[in-house]
Amino acid sequence: MGTPVIKMPKFVISDEILKQVEALAEQTTPKEALWISGYFAGWAKSKLTTSNSTHQDSYFESVSNSNDFEKLEIRILYGTETGNSYDLAEKLTEILKEEGYVVSCVDINDFKIQNLKKEKCVLIITSTHGDGDPPETAKTFFEELDGRKAPKLDHLQYVILGLGDSSYEHFCGAARYLDKRFNALGAKAILERVECDVDYEEEAEKWFEDVKLKLKELFSKEETMNQNIIHSVKQNEPVQVASNQIFDKRYPFEAEIIENIKITGNGSTKHISHIEFSLEESGLSYQPGDALGVVPVNASSNVEQILTALNLTGEEYINDSNKTLRNSLLYDYDITTLTPRFIETWHNLSKAKDLEEFLPSQGRALLFEYASKNHIIDMIQKYSVTSIDPLEFLNGLRKLQPRLYSISSCQDMALDEVHITVSKLEYELNHGMRYGVASSWLCSRLEPGQTVPVYIQSNHHFRLPEDSNVPVIMIGAGTGIAPYRAFLHQLESDNKKNSPTWLFFGERNFRTDFLYQTEWQQWLRTGYLDRISLAFSRDAKEKIYVQHRIIEQGKTVFEWLEEGAFIYVCGDATYMAKDVNQALLTIIENEGKMSADNASEYLKTLTQQKRYRKDVY
Ligand SMILES: Cc1cc2nc3c(=O)[nH]c(=O)nc-3n(C[C@H](O)[C@H](O)[C@H](O)COP(=O)(O)OP(=O)(O)OC[C@H]3O[C@@H](n4cnc5c(N)ncnc54)[C@H](O)[C@@H]3O)c2cc1C
Ligand SMILES: Cc1cc2nc3c(=O)[nH]c(=O)nc-3n(C[C@H](O)[C@H](O)[C@H](O)COP(=O)(O)O)c2cc1C
C-alpha cells in the first residue's frame, strides 16, 4: 500500500508544506509516523496554549468567518475534575463532526448560564465529586443555575450523561441535579439521563450511538449540518486542542521505576514514598499541575483469599480465553469494593436472607453503611456459596480502575522522568489490616527496575498563573504538597523570582513528616519561595492544622489576596479543603470588614476569576 493521498483544506496548509509532508511520509515507518504526529501535536499545543498565537487567531477566524452561525449549533458542555468527562466530550465532538454536525465543546466552567438562552440543543457530560457535588470547576454554573436569575429554558432540548462511582452514596448526584433543574426550568430531555459507573467506556459508547440516532431523528440535515466546517469555534471561546500523547488511559506506557524511597522518617505514623519513573522514548509530556495515571495490580494475597473463599483453583480459563481466573482477578477487576451490583449478584448466588436489607431496591442508606464496613472478601466469606461458575462471579465485579497521583516534578528539570508522592493507605477493618490496592503496591511491592503502566492526566485548572508577577499561595496537607514541588521546580527552571510565593503545609510530625524539607529550605534561601507556614498536628497537645495557620496569618493572606494572589488548595477533600475554605471566609470577613454574605461573594469571585483553584481528593 502506498502513501495515502492527503486532502487538506488550503487555508490549513500550503502546497509546499503538503509536498514536504508527503515526502516525509514516504520515508517513515508507521511507528515513526506515530511518533512524528505526537511531536507535531505537542508542538502545536504548546504554541496554541502559551503564545498569543497569530496562527490560532487567524486560523479560527478564517474558519468562523466562513460559517453561518444562524444555523443550529449543537453545544457539548462538560464538567470534569479528573478528565474523564472531558475525554468523552471530545470524543462525542469528533463523532458528531464526522457526521457533519455543527458542534462545539465547552467546559461548563467557561460557560455563562445566561448563554443557555441562545442555545437550542445542549449535550451535557458531567461527573460527580465530593459527596454528590459537581466537579470543583463546575460549581459556579450549578450555583447560578440554582439561583433566582436562572433563565427560563422552554426553548431548550438537552441530554445528560453522568459519570460517577456507584460505591458513593450520592451516585451521579451532579447529573441527577442538572437533569431535575433543567426540567424545572422548562427544558426538554430528548433522551433519558444515563448514569455510568467507573467502568464507563462501553456505556458511554452506547450513549454516543443513541445521541447520534436521536439527533438524526430530531433535526433535519439542512438545519444542523455544514459539511465544510471543520470545527466551529466562536471568538473568545476556549479552544480545545487535541491531546499530544500517544500513550493514554487506554494504552498506558510501561514506565520503569528509577527510584522508590520512603520519605517519611523512622517512627512516622505514615508511609509516604517518593517514586521516580522513566518516560524515556514514550513521547509523554506533562506540566506542573498534571497527574500521573497508574494502572494498578491487585495484591496476590487478596486474590488467593478470594479463590479460597470461592473454592476455586484460579486455573480456570475465562470464556475460552488465554486468561486464567487468577490473572483476571489480579489485573482486570476491582476485587475489594462492595458495590450495589456486587451485593445484588452475591444475593442472587447465595440466596442469603441477611443480604436482602442491603439490596439497592431497599434504599441506599443501609447498603452504604454496610459497604463502608465490609469488602467483597468479608461478604463472600460470611455468606458462602458451595459451587460457583467463575464467570458469574466476575460479572458482579467492576473493572479495576487506574489511580491518579499529582505529579511532583517539572519536566524542564526532570527531563525524561516523572515523580510522584504516594501515601500508603492502611487501615483496620473487621479485626485485620487492609491496604489500598495501588498505594500499597507502589509503596511496598515495587522496586527500581520494575515497570508500571502509566499515562498523563492533564489538569488545565491547576496551573501556575501566566503572569509571573502575581503572588501565589499554596496550601496543602500530606501528599497535597506534591504539585507545589512541581511548581517550585518550574519557577527555578525558569529562574522566576518575581512573584511572591507562600507555602502552607500540614502533616503530623515535624521530625518525620516534613516532606521534601531540604528542598523547601533551599528554595527559601535561593528566593524562589518567600514564606512557609507549617502545621504539625501531633507535635503539641493542641492539634494545629493548616487552616489555623491561615487564620493566624489572616492579615497578610488578605493583603496578598487584595494584591491579586492566586490560591491553590491540594490534598484531602473531606476535611482539609472544607476547613481551609472556612478559614479563608473567616479572614476575608475579619480583615476585609465584610458581612458573611459579602465574604462568600468575594471567594466566589476569586473562583470565577480562576484565582482560587483546588485539586482535592
Ligand atoms: C486528582 C487526584 C490526585 C491525587 N494525588 C495523589 C497524590 O499525589 N498522592 C497520593 O498518595 N494520593 C493521591 N490521590 C489519591 C489516589 O488516587 C488513590 O485514591 C489513593 O492512593 C488510594 O488508592 P488505593 O488504590 O491505594 O486505595 P483503594 O484500594 O482504592 O482504597 C480506597 C478505599 O478504601 C476504603 N477505605 C479507606 N479508608 C478506610 C477506612 N478507614 N475504613 C474502611 N474503608 C476505608 C474506601 O472505600 C476507599 O474508597 C489522588 C487522587 C486524585 C483524584
Ligand atoms: C474525591 C472523589 C469524590 C467522588 N465523589 C463521588 C460521588 O459523590 N458520587 C459519585 O457518583 N461519584 C463520585 N466520584 C467518582 C467520579 O465521579 C468518577 O471517578 C468520574 O469518572 C470522574 O470523572 P471526571 O474525571 O470527569 O471528573 C468521586 C471521585 C473522586 C476522586
Side-chain angles (χ1 to χ4, degrees), residues 148-253:
R148 276 184 300 112
K149 291 186 191 156
K152 279 211 165 11
L153 300 177
D154 316 40
H155 63 288
L156 185 71
Q157 296 191 306
Y158 73 97
V159 52
I160 296 183
L161 179 76
L163 295 195
D165 179 338
S166 64
S167 65
Y168 282 87
E169 183 164 2
H170 302 288
F171 178 51
C172 286
R176 285 179 193 185
Y177 168 80
L178 266 194
D179 198 6
K180 205 166 140 200
R181 188 68 184 137
F182 266 51
N183 196 276
L185 292 169
K188 184 171 172 287
I190 55 174
L191 283 174
E192 267 197 35
R193 180 185 71 248
V194 169
E195 298 175 348
C196 300
D197 206 344
V198 287
D199 42 1
Y200 56 81
E201 282 85 357
E202 257 176 49
E203 214 162 341
E205 295 282 343
K206 186 179 169 303
W207 184 76
F208 290 164
E209 283 305 309
D210 292 347
V211 168
K212 230 165 67 178
L213 285 176
K214 196 70 195 176
L215 290 177
K216 253 187 204 146
E217 183 190 312
L218 285 176
F219 304 115
S220 70
K221 291 213 167 201
E222 297 73 42
E223 196 186 0
T224 56
M225 297 191 176
N226 184 342
Q227 298 293 350
N228 297 324
I229 291 167
I230 290 183
H231 192 177
S232 60
V233 179
K234 288 182 188 172
Q235 286 171 40
N236 301 329
E237 273 182 4
V239 176
Q240 300 299 337
V241 280
S243 162
N244 62 339
Q245 315 284 7
I246 297 171
F247 296 100
D248 59 16
K249 191 173 174 183
R250 286 177 85 146
Y251 304 102
F253 173 69

Side-chain angles (χ1 to χ4, degrees), residues 36-66:
I36 292 168
S37 77
Y39 173 83
F40 276 110
W43 181 87
K45 185 175 176 179
S46 69
K47 287 279 169 208
L48 285 172
T49 48
T50 56
S51 67
N52 293 327
S53 170
T54 49
H55 284 85
Q56 176 189 341
D57 296 343
S58 58
Y59 170 61
F60 286 110
E61 265 166 35
S62 73
V63 176
S64 59
N65 287 342
S66 69

Side-chain angles (χ1 to χ4, degrees), residues 81-82 167-168 291 296 336-337 372-373 375 403-407 421-425 427-429 435-440 459 479-480 482-483 615-617:
E81 209 164 303
T82 51
S167 65
Y168 282 87
T336 319
T337 321
S372 68
K373 292 184 182 149
H375 288 170
R403 308 296 199 263
L404 294 178
Y405 294 93
S406 305
I407 290 175
T421 315
V422 182
S423 177
K424 181 177 171 183
L425 175 64
Y427 53 94
E428 211 182 315
L429 192 71
Y435 302 96
V437 172
S439 59
S440 64
N459 183 357
T479 53
D615 186 12
V616 294
Y617 43 88

Side-chain angles (χ1 to χ4, degrees), residues 336-407:
T336 319
T337 321
L338 263 188
T339 61
R341 179 164 112 204
F342 187 80
I343 295 177
E344 264 184 326
T345 304
W346 202 252
H347 172 256
N348 286 339
L349 292 170
S350 67
K351 306 278 179 261
K353 277 244 170 297
D354 285 6
L355 291 180
E356 270 168 23
E357 61 177 325
F358 306 125
L359 290 175
S361 54
Q362 303 300 306
R364 296 177 85 85
L366 276 181
L367 186 159
F368 284 98
E369 167 78 11
Y370 180 72
S372 68
K373 292 184 182 149
N374 293 280
H375 288 170
I376 285 175
I377 186 67
D378 302 307
M379 191 154 120
I380 65 175
Q381 278 175 340
K382 185 159 181 191
Y383 305 104
S384 57
V385 172
T386 39
S387 153
I388 187 165
D389 172 355
L391 202 56
E392 276 185 305
F393 177 71
L394 294 184
N395 282 341
L397 302 179
R398 304 192 299 190
K399 286 273 156 63
L400 185 58
Q401 292 302 308
R403 308 296 199 263
L404 294 178
Y405 294 93
S406 305
I407 290 175

Side-chain angles (χ1 to χ4, degrees), residues 292-549:
L292 188 74
V294 171
V295 182
V297 175
N298 283 309
S300 49
S301 54
N302 291 351
V303 171
E304 295 312 318
Q305 251 190 327
I306 297 251
L307 289 171
T308 307
L310 296 176
N311 207 11
L312 293 167
T313 65
E315 293 309 304
E316 301 81 358
Y317 282 90
I318 303 303
N319 263 352
D320 301 329
S321 71
N322 289 333
K323 209 162 218 176
T324 60
L325 175 62
R326 174 172 286 102
N327 281 343
S328 293
L329 293 175
L330 268 175
Y331 299 108
D332 299 340
Y333 291 96
D334 176 349
I335 57 170
T336 319
T337 321
L338 263 188
T339 61
R341 179 164 112 204
F342 187 80
I343 295 177
E344 264 184 326
T345 304
W346 202 252
H347 172 256
N348 286 339
L349 292 170
S350 67
K351 306 278 179 261
K353 277 244 170 297
D354 285 6
L355 291 180
E356 270 168 23
E357 61 177 325
F358 306 125
L359 290 175
S361 54
Q362 303 300 306
R364 296 177 85 85
L366 276 181
L367 186 159
F368 284 98
E369 167 78 11
Y370 180 72
S372 68
K373 292 184 182 149
N374 293 280
H375 288 170
I376 285 175
I377 186 67
D378 302 307
M379 191 154 120
I380 65 175
Q381 278 175 340
K382 185 159 181 191
Y383 305 104
S384 57
V385 172
T386 39
S387 153
I388 187 165
D389 172 355
L391 202 56
E392 276 185 305
F393 177 71
L394 294 184
N395 282 341
L397 302 179
R398 304 192 299 190
K399 286 273 156 63
L400 185 58
Q401 292 302 308
R403 308 296 199 263
L404 294 178
Y405 294 93
S406 305
I407 290 175
S408 51
S409 54
C410 138
Q411 202 158 22
D412 289 343
M413 297 276 259
L415 302 176
D416 276 340
E417 295 175 11
V418 62
H419 306 171
I420 55 173
T421 315
V422 182
S423 177
K424 181 177 171 183
L425 175 64
E426 34 195 338
Y427 53 94
E428 211 182 315
L429 192 71
N430 295 329
H431 315 295
M433 284 310 290
R434 306 286 166 103
Y435 302 96
V437 172
S439 59
S440 64
W441 181 56
L442 287 163
C443 291
S444 298
R445 301 201 301 281
L446 286 173
E447 289 176 359
Q450 290 181 276
T451 63
V452 171
V454 302
Y455 62 95
I456 302 295
Q457 181 64 60
S458 60
N459 183 357
H460 307 285
H461 301 295
F462 212 72
R463 297 271 185 260
L464 276 166
E466 276 176 24
D467 179 350
S468 56
N469 296 310
V470 163
V472 171
I473 300 174
M474 299 164 281
I475 304 166
T479 53
I481 202 171
Y484 305 141
R485 179 178 184 261
F487 281 4
L488 266 288
H489 273 294
Q490 186 69 60
L491 293 177
E492 186 181 348
S493 165
D494 298 342
N495 194 20
K496 281 187 180 156
K497 294 184 185 175
N498 300 2
S499 70
T501 49
W502 190 348
L503 175 75
F504 285 88
F505 172 63
E507 249 301 348
R508 288 181 180 166
N509 297 100
F510 172 80
R511 193 182 58 77
T512 53
D513 307 333
F514 188 176
L515 308 179
Y516 304 111
Q517 178 181 1
T518 52
E519 293 187 55
W520 297 109
Q521 284 165 339
Q522 176 75 1
W523 283 318
L524 276 172
R525 270 196 298 276
T526 49
Y528 293 104
L529 182 67
D530 294 282
R531 297 179 74 123
I532 190 163
S533 298
L534 301 168
F536 290 99
S537 59
R538 300 198 180 176
D539 277 348
K541 252 194 184 156
E542 206 179 324
K543 292 202 165 174
I544 298 287
Y545 296 106
V546 278
Q547 62 269 23
H548 299 120
R549 295 291 182 230

Side-chain angles (χ1 to χ4, degrees), residues 248-268:
D248 59 16
K249 191 173 174 183
R250 286 177 85 146
Y251 304 102
F253 173 69
E254 284 291 333
E256 185 178 328
I257 296 182
I258 310 169
E259 193 75 83
N260 188 349
I261 15 174
K262 181 168 177 270
I263 52 171
T264 36
N266 285 342
S268 172

